[in-house]
Amino acid sequence: RHCGRPAISAGRYHDSRPGRGGRALLDDFEADPEARVLGRGSNVEVVSLIGRADGRRYALKTFCKASKSSVELGLLINEVEIHIGLDHPHIVRLEGVYETVEDFH
């Protein structure tokens, strides 16, 4: 399903669906004690999390797969694959993608 771009295979995409062996979101992040909602968009909220490795705050956007058609899911995956490969000082860095049975984070 994923196109095998270098950024995806370099460890920033984590497939934590059963039997896939990928890291889960809570392996790398914990709830922000201030539990801030940073923004809202079309059917999503952006909330803050704390990185376990560095203690920094990160923004988390979750997309529910069930609310997307197969075409929309394909477009979302394509957008993620492009964004995760970008490295530019004026573009927000996509630190990682965590896929579960129900969601993309």
Side-chain angles (χ1 to χ4, degrees):
R1 184 162 132 180
H2 303 288
C3 71
R5 293 184 185 182
I8 297 294
S9 60
R12 289 172 50 202
Y13 168 79
H14 309 282
D15 190 343
S16 59
R17 293 176 291 174
R20 303 295 174 113
R23 296 183 63 77
L25 179 70
L26 294 178
D27 291 340
D28 296 328
F29 299 92
E30 58 190 43
D32 184 344
E34 296 179 18
R36 298 186 298 183
V37 174
L38 303 173
R40 289 186 174 85
S42 59
N43 304 320
V44 298
E45 277 189 342
V46 179
V47 298
S48 60
L49 291 177
I50 304 295
R52 291 187 187 274
D54 59 14
R56 291 177 37 205
R57 273 202 176 89
Y58 291 85
L60 171 72
K61 184 185 282 189
T62 298
F63 293 92
C64 176
K65 291 184 197 178
S67 68
K68 306 280 184 213
S69 69
S70 60
V71 170
E72 289 172 319
L73 274 176
L75 292 171
L76 177 61
I77 290 167
N78 189 51
E79 182 178 338
V80 165
E81 289 175 336
I82 291 169
H83 195 162
I84 205 167
L86 296 176
D87 184 16
H88 189 278
H90 300 293
I91 299 175
V92 169
R93 178 177 163 83
L94 180 58
E95 291 291 332
V97 176
Y98 296 80
E99 182 175 1
T100 66
V101 171
E102 297 149 352
D103 301 307
F104 281 106
H105 305 282

